[in-house]
Amino acid sequence: MLTIYNDQHALHQGQVEMFRGELVPCFEVPARVDHVRHELERRGLGPLQAPDAFDDALLAKVHAPRYLDFIAHAWDEWVALDAANATRDALPSYWPTRGMRTDVLPKSFPARLGLFSFDAGTPLMAGSWAAARHGAACAWTAAQRVLGGERSAFALTRPPGHHAGADFFGGYCFVNNAAVAAQALRDAGVERVAVLDVDYHHGNGTQAIFYERSDVHFASLHGDPLTDYPYYLGHADERGAGKGEGFNHNLPLPRGTDFTAWRAALGTALDGIAKVKAGALVVSLGVDTFEGDPISGFKLKSDDYLRMGEDLARAGLPTVFVFEGGYAVAEVGVNAVNVLEGFAQAAG
């Protein structure tokens, strides 16, 4: 298993996030990736490589230019408001809602921060753009390796990406790495790409980016949005729109779901991917489905992730893995690498 590693991920290290009415230490921390890297090295699962040179114009294929411009310069604007801001993260405090305009870009930085975000749990700091951009380069490079003949490749990066939409950040995500990988595969001529999101939380950003497209099939297993973040997307009746109708497949599951039920849903998702004749697979690999995760509600155990990897390999597709969530930090490395090892062993 070839791993493309983001050695700049620790530039993004939030101090606090808003969680249920109070500022708390961030759940999304550099140790998440550090544990995965150490476990990969301990098992000798494969080489780690740096990403290839990356053209920012590639990001504009999945993200709106005005959004990218904002994220790239947000920290400088934040500090320009008040020199004291250099010591604290930027968090939004108001957002446009129904009936308000989003087509006019406010001059006020706090107003634009709210315009381009959907929660107060995603702190932005000096290194956020550099870390997110380098993560996109990892995802793009992993796709290039698969296109070059590798059976699979893993983009080991943070911040994660699947909650980031074409023009908004949130859920700890700024750039949608899975979407970058899927678009790279499409650009290279793969007729249809499948994105399979196995994170506990629905990949609302990925769904939104591809919702009206038939060349990228999106499937997601996740906590029911009636009870779980991101709440406002991820229902089973969201099937795509326009040309994309029928190419969006959500499988929401109740809190307390164990691996037997989860695995059955995975089988259903993989059946759907086979039905649309996808030529390559991108896996948004979140391991916050683990029974010990502090902000999730499924009951998967560490050994279950080996079986997950085996099932993914049986799809028989060139596969790009992109690291997403997982917040039981000490176990994240074992669980993520179990998926990769199970995949590698089953794929031969």
Side-chain angles (χ1 to χ4, degrees):
M1 175 69 66
L2 173 65
T3 295
I4 311 300
Y5 172 64
N6 182 356
D7 64 358
Q8 297 186 30
H9 76 88
L11 294 174
H12 175 79
Q13 186 169 354
Q15 299 177 55
V16 293
E17 63 179 83
M18 179 66 73
F19 184 70
R20 296 176 183 171
E22 61 179 330
L23 290 173
V24 301
C26 292
F27 291 101
E28 204 288 297
V29 294
R32 299 173 59 245
V33 159
D34 296 339
H35 279 288
V36 178
R37 179 179 179 177
H38 294 156
E39 189 67 16
L40 283 167
E41 293 172 337
R42 187 185 73 81
R43 297 193 205 182
L45 195 58
L48 269 69
Q49 297 181 0
D52 294 342
F54 182 72
D55 185 348
D56 284 357
L58 296 168
L59 295 176
K61 294 186 175 184
V62 297
H63 290 290
R66 72 172 190 169
Y67 168 71
L68 293 171
D69 182 70
F70 172 78
I71 292 294
H73 300 99
W75 180 254
D76 290 340
E77 290 196 63
W78 173 242
V79 174
L81 284 178
D82 182 345
N85 282 348
T87 65
R88 51 182 176 251
D89 299 341
L91 283 171
S93 54
Y94 21 76
W95 299 265
T97 188
R98 292 162 293 282
M100 294 183 177
R101 294 184 63 175
T102 60
D103 59 317
V104 178
L105 200 59
K107 291 183 178 180
S108 162
F109 173 79
R112 280 181 285 120
L113 185 65
L115 176 67
F116 290 120
S117 69
F118 72 92
D119 67 20
T122 308
L124 187 150
M125 64 223 59
S128 296
W129 170 245
R133 182 191 177 280
H134 211 58
C138 290
W140 180 81
T141 302
Q144 299 308 308
R145 296 292 184 272
V146 167
L147 289 163
E150 293 284 346
R151 174 67 170 82
S152 60
F154 174 41
L156 177 54
T157 184
R158 53 170 293 282
H162 70 150
H163 293 306
D167 62 353
F168 59 82
F169 69 90
Y172 312 140
C173 304
F174 297 95
V175 173
N176 196 307
N177 301 313
V180 168
Q183 187 62 52
L185 293 166
R186 279 289 300 120
D187 289 347
V190 178
E191 186 173 350
R192 178 168 290 127
V193 177
V195 179
L196 175 60
D197 195 319
V198 298
D199 192 280
Y200 180 80
H201 303 96
H202 178 255
N204 60 292
T206 315
Q207 173 173 308
I209 287 169
F210 296 119
Y211 201 65
E212 297 185 13
R213 290 173 54 172
S214 62
D215 59 338
V216 178
H217 175 84
F218 176 70
S220 178
L221 293 70
H222 51 269
D224 193 325
L226 290 174
T227 58
D228 282 281
Y229 185 94
Y231 302 112
Y232 309 111
L233 215 59
H235 299 279
D237 63 352
E238 296 159 11
R239 299 289 296 162
K243 292 181 179 179
E245 186 172 355
F247 292 95
N248 196 86
H249 189 188
N250 285 327
L251 293 139
L253 299 166
R255 280 182 163 262
T257 292
D258 63 11
F259 185 60
T260 299
W262 190 95
R263 194 178 196 182
L266 176 62
T268 300
L270 290 171
D271 286 345
I273 289 169
K275 185 177 180 180
V276 301
K277 296 180 170 58
L281 176 64
V282 177
V283 178
S284 274
L285 180 57
V287 292
D288 45 1
T289 48
F290 179 58
E291 62 182 353
D293 196 272
I295 58 173
S296 303
F298 289 167
K299 300 297 181 183
L300 275 64
K301 302 179 185 301
S302 289
D303 285 350
D304 295 333
Y305 293 97
L306 288 164
R307 309 288 84 77
M308 184 192 302
E310 294 166 359
D311 289 356
L312 292 170
R314 292 189 188 104
L317 295 172
T319 302
V320 176
F321 290 92
V322 179
F323 189 53
E324 301 284 5
Y327 307 99
V329 174
E331 295 86 0
V332 163
V334 170
N335 295 340
V337 178
N338 275 358
V339 177
L340 303 178
E341 185 172 313
F343 182 97
Q345 290 177 346

